[in-house]
Amino acid sequence: MSDFVTAVVAIDDSAPAADAAALANALARPQQGGRVFGVHVAPDVDPPLRATLFPFANLGDDHDEIRAHIDAQATQRAARRVHKLLHADKIRAAHGSFASAFMHTARELGATLVVLPAEPNATDGAFREGTRTVASQAHVPVVIARGGERGHA
């Protein structure tokens, strides 16, 4: 078994996600051979919703193109928040339900640890459903990073 940690952290453009990325870096110790990947999960958007979200954008009617555009925009916003903690080549985009898309990507990346941000206003045990599902079904240890306490779980 390898001593190196591959941490996969859920990111978005929130402060709790930045706290989680900082904790993932501390736990994986990339400078000592560990790896840290950030995964941003964007929900699926039906083509009719595109007209509501991007009424003046010239995206056409190709669902895959629309999804790629939305994923790219959301991932860029998330990357700006964690750019000091994760290099752009270590950030992945996924789409679909949070739990299934995140865990699928974590498995593909060879995760040995998952780090999730706590909900900003959550008390212990009061996590959103996707976080609870990941924590209960993960194939590796899961750490919940409490917001406002950079580097502490």
Side-chain angles (χ1 to χ4, degrees):
M1 184 170 152
S2 172
D3 291 335
F4 299 118
V5 172
T6 298
V8 178
V9 58
I11 61 168
D12 56 22
D13 61 350
S14 69
D19 291 335
L23 180 59
N25 270 319
L27 294 171
R29 298 185 305 272
Q31 63 276 22
Q32 297 175 11
R35 300 181 314 156
V36 179
F37 292 95
V39 176
H40 181 271
V41 178
D44 281 330
V45 177
D46 293 329
L49 186 56
R50 177 210 39 95
T52 303
L53 295 174
F54 304 102
F56 304 108
N58 186 16
L59 295 176
D61 293 324
D62 183 352
H63 183 70
D64 292 335
E65 181 182 341
I66 294 166
R67 182 175 30 211
H69 177 77
I70 292 169
D71 287 352
Q73 293 293 317
T75 302
Q76 286 172 5
R77 283 194 308 274
R80 282 193 295 270
R81 174 68 78 158
V82 299
H83 77 278
K84 292 180 182 175
L85 303 166
L86 298 174
H87 294 286
D89 66 334
K90 300 291 185 186
I91 297 175
R92 303 292 189 268
H95 59 273
S97 76
F98 172 76
S100 62
F102 179 81
M103 289 310 300
H104 175 78
T105 306
R107 281 188 195 94
E108 284 183 342
L109 293 169
T112 58
L113 176 70
V114 165
V115 181
L116 301 173
E119 289 296 303
N121 299 316
T123 58
D124 288 351
F127 303 114
R128 73 178 169 182
E129 193 59 35
T131 301
R132 185 184 321 269
T133 301
V134 168
S136 68
Q137 297 179 0
H139 64 288
V140 297
V142 176
V143 175
I144 307 295
R146 294 189 315 224
E149 300 180 28
R150 290 191 189 276
H152 295 91

